[in-house]
Amino acid sequence: MPTEQPHLIVATPRPSETERWAGHFRQAYPDWTVDEFAVGQPSTGAQYAVVWQPDTALFEQEPGLRAAFNLGAGVDAVASSIPSTVPLYRLEDAGMAEQMAEYALYGVLQAVGRFQPYEEQARQGQWKAHRPVDRRQWPVAVLGLGVIGRKIAQVIASLGYPVHGWSRRLHEADFPCYAGEEGLQQCLSASRILINALPLTPQTKGLINRDTLAQLQPGGYLINVARGAHLVDQDVLDALNSGQLAGAMLDAFTQEPLPADHPYWGNPAVMITPHISGITLREQALEQIGSRIAQLHQGQAASGLVDQSQGY
Ligand code: GLV
């Protein structure tokens, strides 16, 4: 069992963000050595890396890494560059699932027009009740049933919306679950609202496209809390134009920030948010990553290990 304290290095795309997270780890774990990564610097001898979209040079410059910890849930930006010999861990929930369920619920409320008519009426000083939402008219498909997707599905199902879940491997839940290509078609054709909470892998890239959107019930609504590359943007825009989709709430984009001339901007049926549906919370991330480093350092196993052959 090693007696020395853990030595970690923080690597993110921005020096200020790297410095900020390194500062948080130094404060939370004052006995540990915490370095900041910069391209071209000599090896620090770090044993553990704490990363968010790190430069690929990290893994060449730091050959002594025993494990890497992603500062988010989605590991797509690390999975392709990390050597298979370095185990990669991702945040599990860490306060993100709740935020994302709340975000998805807001999208569902937008889709069903729960409050929109009243916003308009309040501006006009009009007192007029509308019929209650018929939830049966708004079945919801949740793609991806990891910690985040399951939480989203549970929250929405708890409010009486019919929920259908889809994932690569068949899951068991209190709502109907599907897997595989045929299962996806069944899940989508049973649904009108589509919530995407999938990991981004070569298999899920572009999964939300003309064909899959056409399987949804007409006048549908798309909520994307995962990655921009899951969507074929032109197909989403076409579906909005044709009315197959009545609206969309999008939090992640292929290029971020979303370019100023992107047709999503200015489309009144599209609500755009700047990748905030599940923000990494400092306390939870420090606690989760810190306790996993301590476990590994003592030769124990830690949870959150990514299956690098699957990419999540
Ligand atoms: C955010 O996008 C994350 O993957 O945590």
Side-chain angles (χ1 to χ4, degrees):
M1 199 194 295
T3 47
E4 89 274 17
Q5 294 289 333
H7 179 173
L8 50 124
I9 187 161
V10 179
T12 81
R14 291 207 310 268
S16 59
E17 200 183 349
T18 299
E19 194 184 322
R20 189 165 59 84
W21 276 103
H24 296 327
F25 274 95
R26 287 186 194 112
Q27 200 175 20
Y29 303 96
D31 297 337
W32 297 6
T33 304
V34 181
D35 278 309
E36 293 165 32
F37 174 76
V39 176
Q41 76 189 7
S43 169
T44 63
Q47 302 152 321
Y48 306 100
V50 174
V51 302
W52 179 249
Q53 302 178 345
D55 193 288
T56 51
L58 169 70
F59 300 106
E60 289 150 32
Q61 280 177 225
E62 296 292 345
L65 290 179
R66 296 180 196 167
F69 295 83
N70 192 48
L71 275 167
V75 294
D76 43 289
V78 202
S80 54
S81 63
I82 192 167
S84 56
T85 47
V86 180
L88 173 63
Y89 293 79
R90 65 193 174 96
L91 288 183
E92 291 175 298
D93 192 338
M96 269 184 275
E98 256 176 16
Q99 297 175 64
M100 292 167 89
E102 191 175 64
Y103 183 101
L105 175 59
Y106 186 88
V108 169
L109 298 177
Q110 290 284 109
V112 305
R114 179 75 169 88
F115 297 110
Q116 252 166 344
Y118 300 108
E119 282 172 21
E120 187 64 28
Q121 286 177 204
R123 277 194 288 272
Q124 294 165 1
Q126 202 185 5
W127 179 277
K128 178 171 175 262
H130 295 268
R131 292 161 67 84
V133 171
D134 181 356
R135 287 159 162 70
R136 288 166 309 177
Q137 302 295 319
W138 293 99
V140 178
V142 178
L143 307 190
L145 296 175
V147 180
I148 292 166
R150 272 204 308 273
K151 180 78 177 183
I152 292 173
Q154 281 160 0
V155 165
I156 288 167
S158 77
L159 295 171
Y161 290 90
V163 168
H164 303 268
W166 182 81
S167 53
R168 190 175 62 86
R169 275 187 312 245
L170 195 59
H171 282 244
E172 282 204 7
D174 296 339
F175 45 85
C177 290
Y178 311 80
E181 217 168 293
E182 203 178 309
L184 180 60
Q185 193 170 352
Q186 288 171 338
C187 177
L188 293 176
S189 57
S191 306
R192 190 162 166 201
I193 297 176
L194 169 55
I195 301 176
N196 177 35
L198 285 166
L200 182 64
T201 67
Q203 288 73 35
T204 62
K205 187 166 185 246
L207 188 89
I208 298 174
N209 55 40
R210 176 194 304 262
D211 295 338
T212 45
L213 289 169
Q215 286 158 14
L216 274 184
Q217 294 174 9
Y221 196 91
L222 170 65
I223 300 167
N224 188 22
V225 294
R227 289 290 184 260
H230 284 124
L231 273 50
V232 177
D233 288 329
Q234 191 54 53
D235 292 358
V236 172
L237 289 161
D238 290 347
L240 286 162
N241 281 339
S242 72
Q244 172 61 10
L245 281 181
M249 185 171 175
L250 308 177
D251 185 50
F253 303 91
T254 309
Q255 194 184 337
E256 295 181 359
L258 184 65
D261 60 354
H262 198 284
Y264 283 143
W265 290 118
N267 185 326
V270 181
M271 175 156 177
I272 294 166
T273 52
H275 206 133
I276 48 71
S277 63
I279 293 175
T280 299
L281 300 177
R282 188 181 68 194
E283 294 305 320
Q284 281 90 329
L286 283 173
E287 211 288 309
Q288 200 172 96
I289 294 175
S291 58
R292 286 170 179 178
I293 289 177
Q295 283 167 328
L296 293 185
H297 208 63
Q298 287 167 15
Q300 297 164 6
S303 70
L305 183 62
V306 170
D307 178 346
Q308 292 189 37
S309 67
Q310 300 297 344
Y312 64 96

